[in-house]
Amino acid sequence: LAQPASSSSQNKPKQPNTVPTNSKPKATPLKFKLPPKGAPGKRAYAGSRSGCPVLDKRLIALVPATNIGLTIAERPTFWFYVPYQPSAKSFGKFQLLNEQQKVIYETSTRVIGTPGIIGINLPRSLETNKRYQWVFSFICDTEAPVDANVFVNGFVERVPLAPELRKKLETAKTPQQKMLLYAENGLWYDLLTTLINERRQKPQDVQLANNWKELLEQSPEVQLNELVREPIVSSHKAKE
């Protein structure tokens, strides 16, 4: 005779074939689409000058490998990694040049909290469809010769905000959604500044940490792997 099924097997509840309600959907990767533009420049300073100490790390501008970044911002923020310890004799100098290579804006600022990433917000409005060159110099010693300064340089171009993108940005509910739109449209400075501001406000946010790594380390158009673990130490609002 067949043995009756045990009560334990009869009463064993079936496992539901559904996704738990408390699980979070996988975040969309942050993939930066590099615009088909390039410019001469030097985003990392690799030389050795007498005015600054010789270090394993370099002064680096946070820009794509093409040395140019696009923006829709009227007054974008520029970001730099400074590897040097601050001192009473050190400061940073930022210059903006027009298409005729004329300096149209210049500011100097004391740098604190480094080594780390600093930001310089531009108070001057950029015109659309014009390419500007920027130069960031770090003076380690005010008594050193001018040619002893370390510097990086590159370009920025403000592009018009397309009506379709404007509508999408206006309906975006979160900074994360805006960052995905910036990345998709190749708007480097808008993407980078939004991401950095979010990371400063939410330093323990795992998704933002992943976004940072995706942008700097996993984007072949960027390749700033050495900066992934560097702290963001300050942001300076430059004077008019």
Side-chain angles (χ1 to χ4, degrees):
L1 295 177
Q3 297 294 324
S6 65
S7 58
S8 60
S9 62
Q10 288 178 330
N11 299 330
K12 188 176 181 180
K14 293 182 179 180
Q15 295 297 325
N17 189 24
T18 57
V19 178
T21 55
N22 61 348
S23 65
K24 294 182 179 180
K26 190 174 181 180
T28 304
L30 194 65
K31 295 182 178 180
F32 177 68
K33 185 177 180 180
L34 188 69
K37 294 188 177 187
K42 178 166 60 176
R43 69 171 182 169
Y45 188 88
S48 60
R49 298 288 183 119
S50 59
C52 289
V54 177
L55 302 174
D56 293 334
K57 297 182 178 182
R58 308 173 293 170
L59 176 69
I60 299 176
L62 277 72
V63 291
T66 52
N67 296 313
I68 185 171
L70 304 185
T71 183
I72 55 173
E74 186 177 355
R75 300 178 178 89
T77 299
F78 300 84
W79 299 92
F80 306 95
Y81 171 69
V82 177
Y84 306 104
Q85 295 282 351
S87 71
K89 294 183 178 181
S90 65
F91 64 93
K93 183 171 72 173
F94 179 87
Q95 295 174 303
L96 188 72
L97 292 75
N98 61 16
E99 293 176 327
Q100 289 72 44
Q101 295 294 296
K102 179 182 177 181
V103 176
I104 58 174
Y105 177 75
E106 180 176 316
T107 186
S108 296
T109 181
R110 289 289 177 186
V111 176
I112 60 174
T114 54
I117 296 169
I118 68 167
I120 295 180
N121 178 255
L122 186 69
R124 184 188 180 102
S125 299
L126 300 181
E127 296 182 44
T128 56
N129 296 319
K130 286 190 177 182
R131 183 176 292 192
Y132 298 83
Q133 182 180 182
W134 50 260
V135 181
F136 178 74
S137 307
F138 190 79
I139 293 84
C140 292
D141 188 345
T142 53
E143 298 177 0
V146 175
D147 61 359
N149 301 334
V150 297
F151 71 93
V152 286
N153 68 312
F155 289 79
V156 58
E157 182 178 338
R158 182 186 173 198
V159 295
L161 178 56
E164 183 179 354
L165 178 57
R166 180 189 296 274
K167 184 177 181 180
K168 290 181 179 179
L169 289 170
E170 289 174 349
T171 56
K173 297 180 180 179
T174 65
Q176 181 72 23
Q177 292 176 346
K178 288 186 177 182
M179 287 191 293
L180 291 172
L181 290 170
Y182 293 145
E184 181 183 344
N185 289 273
L187 298 171
W188 172 259
Y189 288 102
D190 311 87
L191 168 60
L192 183 65
T193 298
T194 303
L195 178 53
I196 285 179
N197 288 339
E198 284 296 295
R199 290 203 72 211
R200 295 183 75 185
Q201 294 177 23
K202 307 169 188 174
Q204 304 303 322
D205 191 294
V206 175
Q207 182 175 345
L208 291 173
N210 289 337
N211 290 154
W212 183 249
K213 188 172 182 179
E214 288 166 351
L215 181 62
L216 298 188
E217 186 175 85
Q218 299 174 11
S219 297
E221 301 86 355
V222 181
Q223 287 297 303
L224 290 172
N225 309 33
E226 59 200 287
L227 301 184
V228 171
R229 292 175 177 81
E230 296 296 340
I232 301 157
V233 298
S234 62
S235 179
H236 305 267
K237 191 169 184 62
K239 296 180 180 180
E240 185 68 55

